[in-house]
Amino acid sequence: FQIRYAGAADSSVQFIFYQPIIHRWRETDFFPCSASCGGGYQLTSAECFDLRSNRIVADQYCHYYPENIKPKPKLQECNLDPCPASDGYKQIMPYDLYHPLPRWESTPWTACSSSCGGGIQSRSVSCVEEDIQGHISPVEEWKCMYTPKMPVVQPCNIFDCPKWLAQEWSPCTVTCGQGLRYRVVLCIDHRGMHTGGCSPKTKPHIKEECMVPTPCYKPKEKLPVEAKLPWYKQAQELEEGAVVSEEPSFIPEAWSTCSVTCGVGSQVRLVKCQVLLSFSQSVADLPIDECEGPKPVSQRACYSGPCSGEATEYIPEETELLYSSLQEFDELYDWEYEGFTECSESCGGGVQEAVVTCLNKQTRETADETLCVTSRRPPQLLKACSLDPCPPR
């Protein structure tokens, strides 16, 4: 038969089947007399009969059916002639309704040798007789042979042992790079119910690493030729564009404002050693010695234009750029916009900044920024870019 079932996930369906009765009790003939003379008794019994094969089988097959009621044994007296005097005549009291028949008695079954998967339990069985006063005493086994002897060994707990059942893996916890995936592992018994008893040593693992082929990093795009910055400006932007990663790295903060409003001063900034904790997506500070490589400088010179119209000459040690006689070049050098930087973000909205360069008006070639007057530098020009929403992590 076929079943289509669409109930709740935690529901269960039970099916009950009834089989035709194929084993029946059958009464036996009388057993031999219990005494050869002087009066004895003989009994009938019942045996379990297989209707299909016409054979006698173990009694337990007939116990499966409550409708099968085992016939009670019949009793009759026999060999009532007196015994010869030489045999020591002894009177045998006939059994009646007030004198129970000899019967098999058993001790309780022992505990099963195994809790599942099939075990064995045993008991002892003996033939006993009860007198008129109700005292029970053991007797010879032949007196109980009107019924088959009860089994002394039987199988037990033959159902399968609980087993681990692993369900499907979850999707990877990330949409790029390396992450984790999980699954539910249950201990299921022979009825399909969630239970205990499975060996912890054989439990399948519930999580494992997974790799999504999509890279997590932003591909480095080359700036267009017309927007290429002077080498020292590129170095400065590369340094300031450091982002926290899963490897400890130096992360400089923004420069402070120049210490003077004109002439040559200094700027300072804080440089931290930080790492990205990928699982919680949070940033943690580390001791400085945890980061490898050269530490970015935390102080530099800055120039805010000439003071009171006078030229200032200064040679900073770090860059060795020459600031002198700026006013002599006012006519020859000037600022111009020249292309845009790459977008600050790969998705979710970013900005591009117009690149301002100092040009030689005659040759149209890029010149050192110190040759252009700082006060004439055009204002910062920004535009939006990468407006598509980011995919979820």
Side-chain angles (χ1 to χ4, degrees), residues 99-311:
H99 193 173
L101 296 173
R103 65 182 184 271
W104 296 111
E105 274 203 352
S106 64
T107 59
W109 289 107
T110 60
C112 193
S113 61
S114 177
S115 61
C116 62
I120 293 177
Q121 55 186 172
S122 61
R123 63 181 175 180
S124 62
V125 176
S126 59
C127 183
V128 298
E129 193 172 39
E130 186 177 349
D131 61 19
I132 296 177
Q133 285 77 32
H135 299 133
I136 297 175
S137 58
V139 296
E140 300 89 343
E141 285 199 354
W142 65 263
K143 290 188 178 183
C144 291
M145 287 304 178
Y146 66 90
T147 58
K149 186 177 182 180
M150 294 183 290
V152 295
V153 177
Q154 73 174 8
C156 52
N157 294 342
I158 57 176
F159 50 84
D160 292 335
C161 291
K163 297 178 181 178
W164 292 113
L165 177 64
Q167 299 186 358
E168 292 294 323
W169 285 106
S170 71
C172 203
T173 55
V174 296
T175 57
C176 64
Q178 184 171 326
L180 294 172
R181 62 177 185 171
Y182 298 84
R183 65 179 172 182
V184 176
V185 177
L186 301 175
C187 185
I188 302 298
D189 63 12
H190 63 284
R191 299 165 299 176
M193 304 295 290
H194 185 201
T195 183
C198 295
S199 171
K201 296 180 180 179
T202 60
K203 183 177 182 179
H205 54 281
I206 61 173
K207 71 173 182 177
E208 69 176 13
E209 293 183 348
C210 51
M211 180 65 68
V212 178
T214 306
C216 288
Y217 61 86
K218 180 175 66 174
K220 189 169 181 64
E221 300 176 2
K222 294 183 179 180
L223 290 174
V225 176
E226 64 272 16
K228 195 165 182 65
L229 297 171
W231 66 269
Y232 58 88
K233 183 70 173 174
Q234 290 182 48
Q236 179 182 326
E237 292 214 349
L238 180 63
E239 183 180 281
E240 293 181 349
V243 293
V244 184
S245 68
E246 295 181 11
E247 291 294 327
S249 53
F250 287 113
I251 304 298
E253 295 186 354
W255 288 103
S256 66
T257 56
C258 198
S259 60
V260 296
T261 56
C262 68
V264 177
S266 64
Q267 290 176 290
V268 293
R269 65 178 175 181
L270 191 61
V271 178
K272 293 182 178 180
C273 178
Q274 294 181 323
V275 67
L276 175 64
L277 305 178
S278 61
F279 189 77
S280 60
Q281 285 300 296
S282 60
V283 176
D285 291 337
L286 299 175
I288 290 296
D289 56 5
E290 290 289 332
C291 287
E292 297 180 354
K295 180 183 177 183
V297 296
S298 56
Q299 185 173 357
R300 71 178 182 185
C302 55
Y303 180 68
S304 302
C307 294
S308 302
E310 297 179 359

